[in-house]
Amino acid sequence: MAAFDHSLVTLRFFGDDLLPEEVSALLGVTPTASHHKGQEFKGSHSGAVRIARFGSWRLSAARREPEDLEAQIFEILDQLTDDLAVWQSLARFRPDLFCGLFMGSSNDGVSLSPRVLLALGERGIELGLDIYDAEEEERNAPRLEDIN
């Protein structure tokens, strides 16, 4: 089983009453991107102006070629508090980890260690895996503005 060609990983929080500065203060890091509910923002690729339907806080890891999902997950988690009480207080914002996996062949694969699965589970972070085949990537590759 070959490794994926490359991967993208973003930790995301969403909520009507989410205030990005409060999430940043609790987690101890500034997000890659964020917005308040009702805030106008412009898509970086499309240029379209949108109104946020809910608050959002996102922290992305550097793209990895070839894929190194585990390193990206710990790149994010290692920046954040280990205090599980803080994570429990943020559970109302439905934390999830968006993982975009881009195939280089017709049979790529990925596995995660018990250590990374435990770290995600302790923090109440849902793991989402979006898998793109090599030909689909150019048409449907996610952009940061699209994974919120």
Side-chain angles (χ1 to χ4, degrees):
M1 169 172 59
F4 282 88
D5 181 68
H6 66 279
S7 53
L8 303 172
V9 176
T10 300
L11 176 63
R12 309 180 303 180
F13 293 86
F14 303 108
D16 284 339
D17 62 339
L18 184 145
L19 299 174
E21 55 278 359
E22 289 181 7
V23 175
S24 294
L26 287 168
L27 292 177
V29 69
T30 302
T32 306
S34 67
H35 58 260
H36 296 86
K37 180 179 180 175
Q39 180 179 339
E40 281 189 9
F41 62 99
K42 187 183 289 191
S44 59
H45 288 88
S46 68
V49 176
R50 299 181 352 202
I51 305 296
R53 296 179 318 215
F54 42 78
S56 172
W57 188 99
R58 300 178 308 282
L59 182 62
S60 297
R63 174 182 166 141
R64 294 290 202 291
E65 293 181 39
E67 164 272 321
D68 192 349
L69 194 57
E70 191 150 326
Q72 288 170 296
I73 293 169
F74 281 118
E75 176 185 328
I76 291 171
L77 293 181
D78 287 348
Q79 296 178 61
L80 307 173
T81 183
D82 290 331
D83 185 343
L84 298 182
V86 168
W87 285 95
Q88 187 174 24
S89 75
L90 292 170
R92 70 184 189 276
F93 298 127
R94 306 176 312 273
D96 74 67
L97 197 66
F98 168 86
C99 301
L101 298 163
F102 298 85
M103 298 175 71
S105 68
S106 62
N107 185 30
D108 294 339
V110 65
S111 62
L112 295 170
S113 72
R115 180 175 168 251
V116 76
L117 295 172
L118 179 63
L120 294 174
E122 286 178 329
R123 290 161 178 80
I125 300 171
E126 181 175 309
L127 177 64
L129 303 172
D130 281 18
I131 301 170
Y132 302 88
D133 72 29
E135 293 158 12
E136 183 180 17
E137 175 186 357
E138 291 185 21
R139 293 184 309 249
N140 297 315
R143 298 182 179 117
L144 184 58
E145 67 194 55
D146 298 329
I147 57 176
N148 62 25

